[in-house]
Amino acid sequence: MKSLIQTLKEICTSYPLSEKVLIVDHYRTGEQILNEFINTGHCVINLKIHTIQDIAIKFLSQKFIQIKFITPTIGSILMTSIIKTLKDKQKLHYFHLLETTPSLSMTMYKTIQEIRLSGYSSTHFPRDIFKMKDKASDLQKILYEYERILEKNSYWDETKAFLKVIEQVNIVEMDKCIFLFQPNLSFIGIEEQFVSMLLSKHSYILPIAPVYEITPPARFAFILEAHGKAQPSDFSYLLSNNHHLGNIDFELFASHTEEEEINEMLRRMMQKEIPFDTCACFYSQQEPYQMMMYQLSEKMKIPVTFGEGLPITVTNPGKMILEILQWFKQDFSAPSFLNLLQEGVFDFDAESPSILSITRMIRNSEIGTGKERYLQKLQVKIHELKEELNRDSEEHHFSIEKKIAEYTWLYQWFETLFQFIPSHYGGGKWKGYLDLLDFILEFAKIQSVYDKLSKDALVEQIQLLRSFATEPNSQKEMLSILEEYLLTIRIGASGPKSGSLHFTSFQQALFINRKNLYYIGFDNQRFPGKVKENPLLLDDERKALCANLPLHREKAKENIFHLLQALACSTGRLTISYPVFNQQENRLNTPSHFFLTCYRILINNSEANNEQLIGNLLIKSHFETDKINQKEWWQSLINYGNHSHISLEKLEGLKYFVKGYRAIEKRSTINFTEYEGKVNAGGYVLDPRKNRNIRLSSSRLEKLATCPYKYFLEDILQIAPAEPVNQNKWLDGKTRGILLHEIFEQFYKTILVTGDKPSYEKHIDMLITIAKEKIDYFKERIFPDCSISFEEEMNEIIESCHIFLKSEEEHTWGNVPAYFEYVFGLDGNPPAKIHLNNSESFFLSGKIDRVDKQEDMNYVIIDYKTGSAREYSLNKFFNGGRHLQHFLYAKALENQFNLYEGQVINSTYLFPTTKGLGERRVRLQDSTASENGLEITERLLDLLKAGYFPMTDDIKKDCRYCTFQHVCKRNSYSEEQYEEKMRHVKAINRWMGVRAYE
């Protein structure tokens, strides 16, 4: 930049008071040039910054011409309307099958602008340059409609402004200013005509350092002249073989990932105590670098300016709109709205309920899906609370009245929200959704400057959509438009500022001349970039249309030129890097040819290859020192695996890590330790034979037999795994079982009144009617998110009813159902006392699905199972202790009904669903079953008494669906190590003996 600054100094010295105009491609570019000029100690008077479009508008305003200028957003919206109208009239042939998306509309708008700037119109259209005649015809029609809208509404675009100024402004008027041109400007057609008028004797092209051994892109009109006036720098010769390269001062490094690359850059700044505002970082590709830098800057409070701005979705208003649109997509489902609440983006007034209270109210209201259910369900809750208020004593009135007030507030808020949206999609709904977004943005939490910018930008964009966009044809199209125009906004774009690290694309690096420059992401995938043509205007068509139109196949060459030009103009110390590993595609990256060239220069070896480069430049991990943040420390620990270097004394602050590390050490020994399920507080505390406050259940004892360690986690430590949520299912397994039980119970209670026996022919219609009524009742309580899943599950329940009734008709044998859902030890009912062989006993609680009574006064237990009968085969009576319910329920019933042993003659597992196909597994409760069942139970209780809870001995059978695999890590033990740990513990050996009871 030295030559540019020197030339600017000479002009300002020669014309101190004259009006000087610096013509640039963007205001920030002009500000960067002036800041550099001022920072080098120079003074500037009467110098203004303008783009070429600004100059045209300025001259027109002097002619008192009023201009309503079209922005790209407005142009894209208008283009959507034009394309839809032409498609509806069946006037398009080439584009008629393309969906009219906002992305297509924006690309079409840019294409039309390029055609117009090239000097063409609908009446003077270059049809011959297009390879497809239908495409030429469609583009001409679209251009004609666009011109009609401009004329009808007195709108202006760039082409219209340039044509008007060329027609009405004479050169004499232009001679009043001194025009200074940014050296790397490019112009198209009519722009070029206007610029030629400005190139009078009072115009200057600012010089810029040349780049040798590469041809500058032809479309940069001034670049050769600018090069000729400037002194080369060392980097000007990067691609040449002469000896100027010896003076280049730069560093190179390779990192494992992009995140490590950013961390290494920051580490080098910190180690050398480099002020942030002397640094600029230029990435080869915006993502993932920009988002990583933003998150790191927020977490570590690093001041950063972003040259290309930030996506609006990083702000509270942006997150709010993102989640609101997801809520719209999911038909206003309550779980989706709860996700929105959990984002923490709402800022309700002080009189409103807390976010936690609102979340609780929505969950308790069982809203499900559909906007109409919000008001219905909230009204039901308010009514229930008012009835409760009338029933309860006065001491509870205050809390109930508070709940009523909160539910009423939430009802009124949703009522206001939904009043914007008509019931069915049609006229006015588009405006209603826009009004709803405006309304909800009023509650957006504003915590930063970015949040304020975001809210203002969204409100402005919504207003543009309201003013210019036509009513979408469907809700899907409407949501697509809202996502494209609202969620793609970028906010907070800024040039370098004092006190801040500047972070931007290498394409903006040319006039940013800080003392320390970092170029990141220069692997072969990202740089120089891939060729991707615009199908609306192919490169051959662009070349024929106008010589200066940018060609997509030249983009990679232009990127190389931009980078080399920026390096040639820089005077700061350079650090260039790339990541070795591509995390998204799980493969290695190769360095770009540019990076490899720099490496060869650095070591003065033109034959150096990629393997040597990685071996010498890949940064080593700093395990305990120089970590940018905790995440990097943990990642290095995981990536490098060897923990022997860790000094636990230095990690006193990480007490849980130290405990975990010591747990790993103890687990690796041959001893059975507390980290594998050893509890010192056994005996009276855990043994229900001694501690009469303990009430076991059949499922807990089966769990203890299957995997004592799982019992330890769930029933001793009280750890509950997160239940997986399946958005596509209506009912979870437990709720579905309850529904089937209620259907079967009501069916039997109905036919018992008449004394009927189950008959498929006679009773199937009645059973289906009961099932549908129960399904409707459950649907009202738990509204399905997916109608298709609901239909499938309903059909399966109906099919289960058919299976159940056929099975019952076949196996009645004179049994009469006597009890349904018989409860003991729960809901205030006394527990069953199970007597053991050694005169000891324990209490058991549970719920028996059905108890049938026979004519001979014997009893049969029926237990419904909703799964498959595969694991309940006849040769798996106890299944190594995993199936104890049939035995324990028989003993419980004997105790509850004061029966003699054997009066409960069998327990039957009935599988009445489509998975079980009505199969029955009968377990005879004879003396052998009683003797073996009691022996198994005593062995399990001895394990509780001893306080040992080993992991299962059968990984294949017991671990497959276990939710605690990541906790116990049973697979990490070799069979030899496992057996060695278990061998010397008597209680464990007794438990292992349970496996012999098939």
Side-chain angles (χ1 to χ4, degrees):
M1 295 232 344
K2 291 179 181 177
S3 299
L4 186 149
I5 298 300
Q6 181 60 34
T7 302
L8 195 55
K9 175 190 172 186
E10 292 170 1
I11 295 170
C12 290
T13 302
S14 301
Y15 306 98
L17 300 179
S18 301
E19 182 179 353
K20 297 172 285 294
V21 178
L22 176 58
I23 299 177
V24 293
D25 55 3
H26 196 282
Y27 273 95
R28 284 201 300 276
T29 304
E31 290 173 355
Q32 289 161 14
I33 292 173
L34 288 190
N35 286 338
E36 182 66 20
F37 183 67
I38 294 168
N39 288 339
T40 53
H42 303 299
C43 182
V44 60
I45 301 173
N46 205 13
L47 192 153
K48 299 175 182 176
I49 302 170
H50 287 300
T51 64
I52 193 69
Q53 294 84 3
D54 293 333
I55 299 295
I57 293 170
K58 177 183 177 183
F59 280 123
L60 290 174
S61 63
Q62 290 173 354
K63 298 288 183 180
F64 304 103
I65 297 174
Q66 299 297 316
I67 296 176
K68 289 193 291 184
F69 215 75
I70 285 183
T71 65
T73 300
I74 297 172
S76 174
I77 296 170
L78 295 177
M79 203 55 64
T80 299
S81 176
I82 291 169
I83 295 171
K84 283 172 61 177
T85 301
L86 290 174
K87 284 173 72 172
D88 291 343
K89 294 179 179 179
Q90 299 184 340
K91 289 187 176 182
L92 297 181
H93 302 286
Y94 185 81
F95 298 117
H96 76 288
L97 292 178
L98 288 181
E99 186 180 356
T100 313
T101 62
S103 179
L104 172 66
S105 299
M106 180 58 79
T107 306
M108 183 65 75
Y109 173 74
K110 291 177 180 177
T111 299
I112 293 298
Q113 291 305 303
E114 288 175 326
I115 292 172
R116 281 172 58 78
L117 281 169
S118 298
Y120 296 100
S121 65
S122 60
T123 55
H124 174 53
F125 193 81
R127 297 176 67 96
D128 294 341
I129 72 168
F130 292 94
K131 296 180 179 180
M132 305 291 291
K133 298 305 175 187
D134 281 350
K135 181 166 82 168
S137 175
D138 284 2
L139 286 172
Q140 187 174 11
K141 291 171 185 174
I142 292 169
L143 177 55
Y144 172 75
E145 294 299 326
Y146 175 76
E147 290 169 346
R148 279 201 328 122
I149 290 176
L150 290 185
E151 190 65 32
K152 179 181 177 181
N153 297 283
S154 300
Y155 292 151
W156 288 66
D157 63 3
E158 289 183 23
T159 303
K160 185 174 179 180
F162 286 132
L163 288 173
K164 199 71 174 177
V165 77
I166 290 170
E167 173 190 331
Q168 295 203 1
V169 178
N170 58 53
I171 296 177
V172 175
E173 294 178 73
M174 296 182 180
D175 279 346
K176 297 175 182 177
C177 295
I178 298 171
F179 296 106
L180 314 176
F181 287 90
Q182 177 186 328
N184 61 330
L185 291 175
S186 64
F187 307 106
I188 301 172
I190 294 171
E191 284 181 324
E192 202 167 13
Q193 291 181 41
F194 177 57
V195 169
S196 65
M197 296 172 64
L198 302 180
L199 289 172
S200 63
K201 60 184 178 181
H202 293 301
S203 64
Y204 297 86
I205 298 169
L206 297 176
I208 193 170
V211 178
Y212 298 125
E213 304 301 326
I214 185 170
T215 304
R219 67 189 189 90
F220 295 116
F222 303 145
I223 203 73
L224 290 176
E225 185 176 344
H227 281 176
K229 296 178 179 179
Q231 292 296 316
S233 69
D234 291 328
F235 258 105
S236 297
Y237 302 94
L238 184 67
L239 300 184
S240 67
N241 293 319
N242 72 31
H243 301 290
H244 291 81
L245 299 177
N247 299 321
I248 295 179
D249 181 22
F250 65 97
E251 293 179 356
L252 302 175
F253 73 84
S255 64
H256 290 88
T257 64
E258 294 93 341
E259 188 171 16
E260 191 179 70
E261 189 178 10
I262 291 177
N263 286 337
E264 178 64 18
M265 174 189 74
L266 293 173
R267 183 182 297 106
R268 293 181 180 218
M269 294 179 195
M270 293 163 64
Q271 286 175 339
K272 297 174 184 177
E273 298 183 349
I274 301 173
F276 285 130
D277 59 2
T278 65
C279 302
C281 178
F282 307 110
Y283 46 76
S284 59
Q285 187 174 294
Q286 192 175 79
E287 296 303 341
Y289 288 105
Q290 188 188 69
M291 189 54 63
M292 287 179 175
M293 187 69 242
Y294 170 73
Q295 291 169 347
L296 199 58
S297 68
E298 288 291 296
K299 187 173 183 178
M300 298 181 63
K301 307 302 180 187
I302 300 172
V304 182
T305 51
F306 295 92
E308 294 187 311
L310 291 167
I312 203 162
T313 48
V314 305
T315 67
N316 285 330
K319 290 175 187 174
M320 174 181 276
I321 295 299
L322 173 65
E323 292 296 335
I324 283 289
L325 295 183
Q326 287 299 313
W327 187 46
F328 292 168
K329 275 186 177 180
Q330 295 178 21
D331 193 21
F332 303 93
S333 78
S336 180
F337 191 82
L338 291 176
N339 289 341
L340 172 59
L341 288 177
Q342 289 164 8
E343 284 289 339
V345 296
F346 277 103
D347 186 18
F348 295 112
D349 59 47
E351 302 300 318
S352 66
S354 67
I355 296 297
L356 190 62
S357 295
I358 294 172
T359 301
R360 174 181 48 78
M361 287 188 284
I362 291 174
R363 283 181 175 150
N364 292 343
S365 298
E366 298 178 338
I367 290 166
T369 302
K371 67 183 180 66
E372 66 284 346
R373 288 178 59 85
Y374 283 78
L375 300 184
Q376 291 173 7
K377 289 295 185 177
L378 290 171
Q379 189 65 56
V380 168
K381 291 298 292 185
I382 293 170
H383 179 70
E384 289 175 355
L385 286 167
K386 287 181 177 178
E387 288 187 340
E388 186 180 344
L389 186 67
N390 294 329
R391 289 194 309 267
D392 271 13
S393 59
E394 288 190 11
E395 61 182 297
H396 296 135
H397 280 194
F398 178 78
S399 63
I400 297 172
E401 286 171 350
K402 182 182 178 183
K403 287 181 181 179
I404 292 172
E406 288 184 338
Y407 273 101
T408 302
W409 180 93
L410 189 59
Y411 177 92
Q412 292 171 348
W413 190 83
F414 276 116
E415 185 179 41
T416 306
L417 186 72
F418 289 134
Q419 73 181 4
F420 295 110
I421 309 174
S423 301
H424 302 287
Y425 197 86
K429 195 156 191 176
W430 168 241
K431 181 180 179 299
Y433 273 95
L434 294 176
D435 290 343
L436 184 150
L437 294 177
D438 261 340
F439 169 76
I440 210 159
L441 277 172
E442 291 301 313
F443 300 95
K445 185 179 289 185
I446 307 300
Q447 294 177 303
S448 67
V449 174
Y450 287 135
D451 286 340
K452 180 66 169 66
L453 291 171
S454 171
K455 182 179 178 180
D456 292 344
L458 285 166
V459 170
E460 181 181 346
Q461 197 82 327
I462 289 169
Q463 183 55 42
L464 285 178
L465 290 171
R466 187 183 283 111
S467 301
F468 292 96
T470 56
E471 186 88 21
N473 292 331
S474 65
Q475 182 146 330
K476 179 183 176 183
E477 182 183 341
M478 178 199 73
L479 291 173
S480 173
I481 290 171
L482 291 174
E483 285 179 339
E484 185 72 26
Y485 287 111
L486 299 183
L487 300 183
T488 58
I489 298 172
R490 302 190 71 82
I491 49 96
S494 168
K497 290 184 179 178
S498 178
S500 298
L501 165 68
H502 190 60
F503 199 78
T504 191
S505 168
F506 76 93
Q507 294 174 328
Q508 296 186 6
L510 182 56
F511 301 109
I512 300 174
N513 194 30
R514 288 190 161 182
K515 292 179 181 179
N516 300 280
L517 305 174
Y518 297 84
Y519 286 80
I520 62 175
F522 282 86
D523 56 83
N524 200 40
Q525 276 293 105
R526 295 182 176 91
F527 185 82
K530 297 179 181 178
V531 175
K532 188 178 180 181
E533 287 207 44
N534 175 7
L536 299 190
L537 204 57
L538 298 172
D539 275 359
D540 289 343
E541 294 165 346
R542 300 169 75 85
K543 195 170 183 179
L545 191 66
C546 179
N548 285 348
L549 275 179
L551 304 180
H552 291 84
R553 61 172 171 249
E554 299 293 326
K555 184 65 176 175
K557 291 181 182 178
E558 287 194 12
N559 283 341
I560 294 171
F561 180 79
H562 284 313
L563 175 62
L564 295 176
Q565 184 73 84
L567 294 176
C569 292
S570 64
T571 57
R573 179 168 179 78
L574 298 172
T575 302
I576 309 168
S577 61
Y578 89 100
V580 170
F581 190 71
N582 186 319
Q583 290 178 297
Q584 279 191 332
E585 299 180 15
N586 194 30
R587 60 169 181 78
L588 292 175
N589 289 325
T590 56
S592 63
H593 180 70
F594 159 73
F595 191 90
L596 180 60
T597 300
C598 291
Y599 175 67
R600 287 170 173 171
I601 293 169
L602 189 67
I603 65 171
N604 195 25
N605 178 4
S606 61
E607 302 298 322
N609 58 32
N610 291 344
E611 188 176 338
Q612 293 169 326
L613 181 154
I614 294 173
N616 290 326
L617 296 183
L618 187 61
I619 59 173
K620 303 298 186 291
S621 178
H622 311 272
F623 281 108
E624 296 188 20
T625 59
D626 298 328
K627 287 298 168 197
I628 294 299
N629 53 37
Q630 283 189 10
K631 183 178 179 182
E632 189 189 13
W633 191 91
W634 289 111
Q635 281 181 334
S636 66
L637 197 65
I638 294 167
N639 290 341
Y640 296 96
N642 179 14
H643 305 160
S644 60
H645 61 279
I646 297 175
S647 171
L648 295 183
E649 291 73 21
K650 294 183 179 181
L651 300 176
E652 293 178 358
L654 300 172
K655 61 179 181 179
Y656 297 114
F657 170 75
V658 173
K659 285 184 177 180
Y661 187 77
R662 288 188 171 135
I664 293 173
E665 287 184 323
K666 286 198 174 186
R667 277 188 168 210
S668 64
T669 68
I670 63 171
N671 299 319
F672 191 90
T673 71
E674 63 270 30
Y675 297 105
E676 287 142 324
K678 180 182 177 182
V679 179
N680 293 324
Y684 286 95
V685 178
L686 302 177
D687 186 355
R689 294 169 297 189
K690 305 297 182 184
N691 186 346
R692 308 307 277 180
N693 292 320
I694 296 176
R695 293 180 184 180
L696 290 178
S697 65
S698 63
S699 61
R700 287 177 67 186
L701 278 166
E702 287 176 343
K703 186 195 306 176
L704 183 63
T706 303
C707 180
Y709 191 74
K710 186 175 183 180
Y711 183 98
F712 167 68
L713 294 175
E714 288 191 328
D715 297 277
I716 306 299
L717 298 184
Q718 300 289 306
I719 297 172
E723 291 294 330
V725 178
N726 189 338
Q727 295 285 359
N728 295 323
K729 290 191 74 67
W730 172 39
L731 300 177
D732 59 40
K734 182 179 178 181
T735 308
R736 193 177 185 189
I738 293 171
L739 170 57
L740 286 170
H741 286 196
E742 290 189 10
I743 293 170
F744 301 155
E745 179 181 345
Q746 186 172 332
F747 165 73
Y748 259 118
K749 284 181 176 178
T750 303
I751 66 170
L752 286 175
V753 172
T754 59
D756 286 347
K757 295 290 183 182
S759 165
Y760 182 81
E761 183 178 349
K762 183 176 181 180
H763 296 132
I764 186 60
D765 290 340
M766 177 205 300
L767 181 57
I768 298 305
T769 300
I770 291 170
K772 289 182 176 178
E773 288 174 354
K774 287 290 182 183
I775 289 170
D776 288 342
Y777 173 73
F778 273 67
K779 183 182 178 183
E780 183 65 22
R781 289 168 54 209
I782 307 169
F783 197 79
D785 291 333
C786 176
S787 58
I788 296 175
S789 295
F790 170 73
E791 289 293 330
E792 289 178 355
E793 291 183 53
M794 183 181 72
N795 291 336
E796 284 185 13
I797 291 167
I798 298 298
E799 183 62 27
S800 297
C801 291
H802 286 275
I803 293 169
F804 168 77
L805 189 52
K806 287 178 180 178
S807 178
E808 287 296 293
E809 182 180 38
E810 182 180 351
H811 296 92
T812 304
W813 297 334
N815 295 352
V816 177
Y819 300 95
F820 301 97
E821 303 292 327
Y822 181 78
V823 176
F824 52 94
L826 302 170
D827 302 330
N829 296 291
K833 191 174 185 180
I834 308 300
H835 294 278
L836 302 169
N837 290 326
N838 53 7
S839 301
E840 292 184 306
S841 63
F842 69 95
F843 291 129
L844 187 77
S845 62
K847 181 190 290 185
I848 303 174
D849 294 341
R850 194 174 102 208
V851 179
D852 287 2
K853 192 173 184 180
Q854 297 185 326
E855 294 176 356
D856 58 4
M857 303 304 290
N858 288 328
Y859 291 88
V860 172
I861 290 173
I862 305 292
D863 187 73
Y864 304 126
K865 298 293 183 185
T866 56
S868 165
R870 184 176 55 191
E871 290 298 317
Y872 291 81
S873 60
L874 294 176
N875 63 346
K876 293 182 178 179
F877 194 90
F878 288 112
N879 196 9
R882 297 175 181 87
H883 297 162
L884 295 174
Q885 179 182 292
H886 60 86
F887 157 74
L888 290 169
Y889 278 7
K891 289 296 177 186
L893 210 57
E894 289 175 3
N895 174 258
Q896 291 280 294
F897 291 180
N898 198 23
L899 306 175
Y900 57 82
E901 184 175 333
Q903 198 169 348
V904 179
I905 60 171
N906 73 63
S907 296
T908 298
Y909 295 115
L910 171 56
F911 299 85
T913 65
T914 53
K915 287 183 179 179
L917 298 176
E919 292 195 46
R920 291 172 182 250
R921 297 289 183 262
V922 179
R923 301 292 188 251
L924 295 177
Q925 300 302 316
D926 55 17
S927 58
T928 302
S930 176
E931 181 181 342
N932 290 340
L934 290 173
E935 175 63 22
I936 291 171
T937 304
E938 286 182 4
R939 286 173 178 261
L940 296 176
L941 298 182
D942 286 347
L943 199 63
L944 290 175
K945 178 181 178 181
Y948 283 90
F949 299 90
M951 302 168 195
T952 179
D953 57 336
D954 194 334
I955 297 176
K956 187 175 181 181
K957 180 177 286 188
D958 300 326
C959 296
R960 187 175 179 185
Y961 301 110
C962 180
T963 52
F964 288 107
Q965 292 183 60
H966 64 291
V967 176
C968 78
K969 303 188 187 305
R970 173 67 177 85
N971 280 313
S972 66
Y973 293 88
S974 67
E975 287 307 309
E976 294 77 11
Q977 184 187 12
Y978 177 82
E979 290 173 7
E980 187 68 26
K981 281 179 176 288
M982 307 298 138
R983 182 178 300 166
H984 304 295
V985 183
K986 181 180 178 181
I988 294 178
N989 287 321
R990 278 182 57 73
W991 161 71
M992 284 184 160
V994 170
R995 293 291 187 251
Y997 292 90
E998 283 292 337

